[in-house]
Amino acid sequence: MTVNPRWIGAGLVALSALSFGAMAIFARFAFAGGVDVTALLFLRFLIAGALMAGVMIASRRPWPTRRNTLTLALMGGVGYVAQALCFFLALKHASAGLVALLLYLYPFLVTLLGVVFAGERLTLLRALAVLSALLGTALTIGAGLAGSPLGIGLGVAAAMIYSIYIIVGNRVLKEEDPLAAATVVMLAAAGVFGLLVLGGTPHFPQSATAWAAVLAIALVSTVVAMVGFFAGIKRLGAADAATLSTLEPVVTFALAAIFLDEPVTASQMAGGAIVLGAVIALARGQAAPDQDKGSTSSR
């Protein structure tokens, strides 16, 4: 029996969202063990990149072409780093809820950029799914949406940078293996964060629990999350993969309720249900002609 590639792609993006969503939980334990943001990001990409490079060498998988390697290196060394810095700087000038909500504008921005610059079709299903996912995300994140104009600007910048990252990744992944592409992105990000560590006074983990949390972030919330997302983009296209990834905040609040005993409100449950509905509807939808033409099957 042939499995619909869209369901495979949706499953990979859902796995990615689960893995990314768990990062907030792991980070709580890492920060409690003394690590700071710059050191955490450096260790995250260093461990993940080294592991992935080892897999690439051991399995003798082909590396991306020189041109695509440069593009992927810019995605990791410039895009990922700039997005992370904008996000964390925004947290100093706006509430966490507002910054998170602004970041999750990226499915809408990816869809819009795809229509304007990549000639993708804006179907009714896709438009409704994006708007429903944005509404569900707003309900899931909850109240406390306050911030200065600078914080709002930085939050929007983080969303825009991540949107461009996804659009560029979609183009590269039409030609490259998701595992190889993710490896280059990780190594480039590790190199830049390494320079930031050398130029500052980083605080590394001070306990076994903190190191375990860092390893979990590197293996689960980076390797599994990024490779799954890239593989999902290859099958679904940038816009639909971005919309499906709004499962991430739903996963985060569910895990926080289970493992950190954080309360769950009725609005969060309603928001989670809306996001799940949008994800299921989008996964069941037929691939747009532009996606069928541009995507190829992945390993």
Side-chain angles (χ1 to χ4, degrees):
M1 181 178 68
T2 303
V3 180
N4 188 334
R6 285 186 66 80
W7 281 107
I8 297 176
L12 289 165
V13 175
L15 175 62
S16 171
L18 176 63
S19 303
F20 273 130
M23 183 161 58
I25 311 303
F26 297 142
R28 290 280 191 92
F29 293 101
F31 291 141
V35 68
D36 63 13
V37 171
T38 305
L40 174 60
L41 291 171
F42 169 62
L43 292 172
R44 173 193 180 190
F45 288 108
L46 177 65
I47 295 169
L51 175 64
M52 294 288 287
V55 171
M56 288 288 296
I57 294 170
S59 61
R60 297 182 178 179
R61 299 175 78 99
W63 290 86
T65 64
R66 182 176 300 179
R67 183 191 63 175
N68 286 336
T69 295
L70 176 60
T71 300
L72 291 163
L74 290 173
M75 286 172 59
V78 177
Y80 234 115
V81 173
Q83 188 270 340
L85 291 176
C86 284
F87 181 81
F88 285 109
L89 286 173
L91 289 173
K92 295 183 178 181
H93 302 280
S95 66
L98 178 58
V99 174
L101 182 59
L102 291 173
L103 176 63
Y104 280 96
L105 286 172
Y106 76 83
F108 171 78
L109 294 173
V110 168
T111 302
L112 183 62
L113 291 172
V115 171
V116 174
F117 296 106
E120 294 185 356
R121 294 198 314 150
L122 182 60
T123 63
L124 179 61
L125 173 62
R126 182 177 290 170
L128 290 175
V130 170
L131 294 175
S132 297
L134 183 59
L135 172 62
T137 301
L139 291 173
T140 301
I141 292 171
L145 304 181
S148 68
L150 177 59
I152 294 172
L154 288 168
V156 172
M160 180 59 74
I161 292 169
Y162 194 47
S163 300
I164 296 172
Y165 169 93
I166 293 174
I167 291 291
V168 174
N170 182 52
R171 183 187 64 77
V172 174
L173 288 166
K174 292 176 181 178
E175 304 173 1
E176 302 294 352
D177 174 24
L179 190 148
T183 302
V184 176
V185 170
M186 292 176 198
L187 291 174
V192 174
F193 280 117
L195 293 176
L196 294 178
V197 165
L198 289 175
T201 54
H203 298 283
F204 290 98
Q206 301 297 312
S207 67
T209 300
W211 275 109
V214 169
L215 286 173
I217 289 174
L219 301 180
V220 177
S221 300
T222 306
V223 173
V224 175
M226 192 179 295
V227 174
F229 187 61
F230 277 9
I233 288 178
K234 197 173 181 77
R235 289 171 170 83
L236 297 173
D240 289 352
T243 302
L244 291 171
S245 69
T246 53
L247 278 171
E248 181 184 334
V250 178
V251 170
T252 299
F253 92 74
L255 292 178
I258 295 170
F259 295 104
L260 301 178
D261 294 324
E262 293 189 359
V264 177
T265 65
S267 64
Q268 286 179 315
M269 295 181 65
I274 292 173
V275 171
L276 287 173
V279 165
I280 292 171
L282 196 57
R284 288 174 60 88
Q286 294 298 317
D290 53 271
Q291 289 177 338
D292 291 336
K293 187 184 301 182
S295 299
T296 59
S297 61
S298 178
R299 335 186 173 13

